[in-house]
């Protein structure tokens, strides 16, 4: 009897997703996860060695190649935000992911063709007199178009993949969906980590040992499977219709507060309350925005059901407070940009690794682009140890629950990123000194007799800095923003990365121009042995220390977080 009742329970759990629901459910999860994972393998596998590809095949200077990668990174981080807005407001998530899969595949095919068609790249340099033909406008157009298509495709897929998977679970039985959604999120983020590991190892190794043609061709094949995996399950997907964009809500508040700027704030003001909301009065911070929700004349301003007749002249208290939450977070959000600037210096670290001894055993040599695996590994190790080992151990020692809040972890991440730049500068100083002593400073392709394993501390510190700062940023935004703005909160760090890439480009170009004045050699020379990358990293370290002070000031000005305010009110009660 007991076994039969257990079987009946199993059947009742499985039934809604498998039979009563013609669309959605767990059967669609493998296709969605595979699409996102394979897209990241294909695209992340291109970036580590791209600096070397641009310098060797397109004869670009180090600064020019880095600028291209900074702009590419800025576009790739910003377009998912734009994609999320378009998907939610106009086309829907299914069409956005499908569009992104096709466009990304076209971009990778175009990039692969630059390795297959001789006319797509300039001819090799003549070694006897070290003369190189410059890249033509058509060749650059072909290259940049492929980058633009890959970024656009990534924006389409990454903006909607996670939410689209969640849509599939909402059509099943409620009890089953709760359990499955947790497993889906775990598998989704596990696939993300796995895709990065594959990209930094297998994909980079193929490019390094089998050439650009075969390496970029593998990315095309992987992206083809990503697109096929998504479209194969088309008949089974739940396709939620697009809704109004949340971006218009903050704009309405700004417009309404401007229109009502002549009104005076006093104790007799009536404010428009959202139906079912606990917010009756706006907060005292940024009071000028409170004018957006003042009711002048209830008969003229409100409909019969209590809503605003003109939403561009009168907003609810909730809308005003949502905008205040965004504006209040911006100073702390800006502090993360310097950390992201430090993280985006991968091209320089790859140039370091390519000039050092990367041989581990007699026959195996670590590709220069694969050293990023140490940063990813330290990030994964930190996430695992923090929740499972460090916090329980600290709680046991103190005899009470220990928790490090988001802002404390963000600050620690900023400190570690500045320490990383100091270590990077020190290692580069040693490497450059050895290059001069060994008489290879004039040869940019020469290998210095110094183990590339000296780079491990800086990669591990960068992984820890990202694990602390970036993850804490997302947690901070989501906890501080209202639930209605959770999608915007989850995309804020991506916007920060995009702006940071542009700032990194501006900073690098400024340092390059300043150090070249007076006929002196640039700190950021294409020949790493002739430049002064150690000085460049010292500038970044100094900037990070100033940013640390700025972060402390922003935290002081911000005041207590929502969770801290909740604890304080509970203690008072």
């Amino acid at each position: 009897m007991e076994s039969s009742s257990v079987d009946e329970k199993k059947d009742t759990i499985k039934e809604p997703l498998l039979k009563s629901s013609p669309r959605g459910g767990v059967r669609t999860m493998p296709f969605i996860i595979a699409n996102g994972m394979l897209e990241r393998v294909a695209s992340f596998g291109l970036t580590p060695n791209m600096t070397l590809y641009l310098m060797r095949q397109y004869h670009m200077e180090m600064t020019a190649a880095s600028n291209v990668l900074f702009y590419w990174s800025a576009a790739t981080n910003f377009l998912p935000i734009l994609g999320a807005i378009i998907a939610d407001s106009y086309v829907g998530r299914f069409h956005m992911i499908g569009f992104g899969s096709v466009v990304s595949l076209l971009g990778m095919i175009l990039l692969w063709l630059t390795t297959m068609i001789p006319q797509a790249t300039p001819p090799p340099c003549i070694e006897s007199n070290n003369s190189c033909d410059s890249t033509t406008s058509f060749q650059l157009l072909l290259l940049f178009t492929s980058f633009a298509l890959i970024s656009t495709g990534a924006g389409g897929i990454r903006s909607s993949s996670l939410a689209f998977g969640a849509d599939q679970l909402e059509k099943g039985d409620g009890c089953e969906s709760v359990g499955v959604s947790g497993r889906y999120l775990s598998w989704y983020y596990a696939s993300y980590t796995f895709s990065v590991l594959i990209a930094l190892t297998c994909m980079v190794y193929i490019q390094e040992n089998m050439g650009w043609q075969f390496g970029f061709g593998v990315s095309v094949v992987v992206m083809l499977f990503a697109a096929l995996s998504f479209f194969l399950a088309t008949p089974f997907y739940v396709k939620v219709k697009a809704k109004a964009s949340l971006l218009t809500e903050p704009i309405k508040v700004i417009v309404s507060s401007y229109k009502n700027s002549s009104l005076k704030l006093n104790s007799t003001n009536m404010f428009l309350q959202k139906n079912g909301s606990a917010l009756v009065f706006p907060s005292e911070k940024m009071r000028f925005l409170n004018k957006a929700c003042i009711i002048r004349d209830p008969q003229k301003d409100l409909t019969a059901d209590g809503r605003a007749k003109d939403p561009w002249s009168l907003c609810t208290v909730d809308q005003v407070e949502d905008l205040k939450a965004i504006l209040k977070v911006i100073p702390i959000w800006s502090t993360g940009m310097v950390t992201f600037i430090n993280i985006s210096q991968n091209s320089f670290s790859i140039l370091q690794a390519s000039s050092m001894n990367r041989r581990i055993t007699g026959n195996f040599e670590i590709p220069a682009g694969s050293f990023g695996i140490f940063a990813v590994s330290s990030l994964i190790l930190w996430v695992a140890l923090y929740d499972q080992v460090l916090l329980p151990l600290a709680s046991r020692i103190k005899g009470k629950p220990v928790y490090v809040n988001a802002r404390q972890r963000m600050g620690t991440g900023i400190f570690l990123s500045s320490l990383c730049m100091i270590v990077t500068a020190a290692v580069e100083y040693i490497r450059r000194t050895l290059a001069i002593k060994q008489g290879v400073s004039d040869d940019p392709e020469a290998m210095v007799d110094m183990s590339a394993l000296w780079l491990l501390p800086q990669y591990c510190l960068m992984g820890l800095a990202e694990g602390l700062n970036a993850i804490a940023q997302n947690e901070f935004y989501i906890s501080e923003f209202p639930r209605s703005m959770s999608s915007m909160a989850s995309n804020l760090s991506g916007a920060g990365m995009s702006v940071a890439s542009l700032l990194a480009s501006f900073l690098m170009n400024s340092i390059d121009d300043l150090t070249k004045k007076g006929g002196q050699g640039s700190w950021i020379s294409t020949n790493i042995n002739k430049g002064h990358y150690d000085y460049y990293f010292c500038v970044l370290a100094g900037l990070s220390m100033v940013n640390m002070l700025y972060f402390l000031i922003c935290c002081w000005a911000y005041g207590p977080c929502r969770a801290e305010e909740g604890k304080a009110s509970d203690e008072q009660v």
Side-chain angles (χ1 to χ4, degrees), residues 252-392:
K252 286 178 182 177
V253 176
I254 295 171
V255 173
S256 297
S257 61
Y258 175 76
K259 287 182 177 180
N260 299 335
S261 58
S262 60
L263 298 179
K264 292 184 178 181
L265 291 166
N266 52 56
S267 58
T268 62
N269 291 137
M270 290 189 298
F271 300 102
L272 180 61
Q273 184 182 8
K274 182 181 178 181
N275 291 335
S277 174
L279 288 175
V280 180
F281 300 103
S283 63
E284 289 300 307
K285 293 182 178 179
M286 291 179 270
R287 294 181 75 244
F288 63 94
L289 293 174
N290 294 351
K291 296 181 179 182
C293 56
I294 294 178
I295 302 173
R296 300 186 186 188
D297 187 341
Q299 294 182 345
K300 292 181 180 180
D301 295 342
L302 304 179
T303 61
D305 59 352
R307 297 182 181 181
K309 288 183 178 179
D310 182 7
W312 290 92
S313 297
L314 179 61
C315 300
T316 64
V317 176
D318 287 73
Q319 288 175 296
V320 172
E321 292 304 310
D322 287 351
L323 178 58
K324 287 181 180 180
I326 297 174
L327 297 177
K328 188 180 177 184
V329 157
I330 285 177
I332 290 183
W333 170 77
S334 66
T335 64
M337 291 183 192
V338 175
T339 302
F340 290 137
I341 287 174
N342 294 342
I343 293 171
S344 67
Q345 305 299 319
N346 292 333
S347 56
F348 302 116
S349 297
I350 290 171
L351 203 60
Q352 277 184 305
S354 65
S355 66
M356 300 170 74
N357 183 8
R358 293 173 278 116
R359 195 169 297 280
I360 302 299
T361 63
N363 298 319
F364 180 72
E365 185 178 76
I366 302 177
S370 292
F371 273 80
I373 196 71
F374 297 108
V376 176
S377 299
S378 61
L379 189 154
I380 296 170
L381 189 63
W382 161 254
V383 172
L385 290 177
Y386 175 71
D387 285 324
Q388 302 299 324
V389 178
L390 297 180
L391 286 185

Side-chain angles (χ1 to χ4, degrees), residues 408-427:
Q408 289 171 338
R409 280 179 280 139
M410 288 167 66
T412 307
I414 292 172
F415 172 75
L416 288 179
S417 94
S418 64
L419 183 61
C420 172
M421 291 298 101
I422 294 173
V423 171
T424 305
V427 172

Side-chain angles (χ1 to χ4, degrees), residues 498-513:
S498 180
V499 176
S501 295
L502 298 177
L503 291 175
S505 175
F506 171 77
L507 181 64
M508 182 196 66
N509 289 330
S510 300
I511 292 175
D512 182 53
D513 292 338

Side-chain angles (χ1 to χ4, degrees), residues 43 179 224 319 363 369 392 490:
S43 57
L224 176 62
Q319 288 175 296
N363 298 319
S490 61

Side-chain angles (χ1 to χ4, degrees), residues 78-110:
F78 173 75
L79 287 174
I81 303 170
L82 184 61
I85 295 170
I86 296 173
D88 291 344
S89 307
Y90 303 105
V91 301
R93 292 171 184 139
F94 169 78
H95 293 100
M96 181 56 67
I97 296 174
F99 168 78
S101 299
V102 173
V103 170
S104 190
L105 177 61
L106 290 175
M108 290 185 187
I109 291 173
L110 197 58

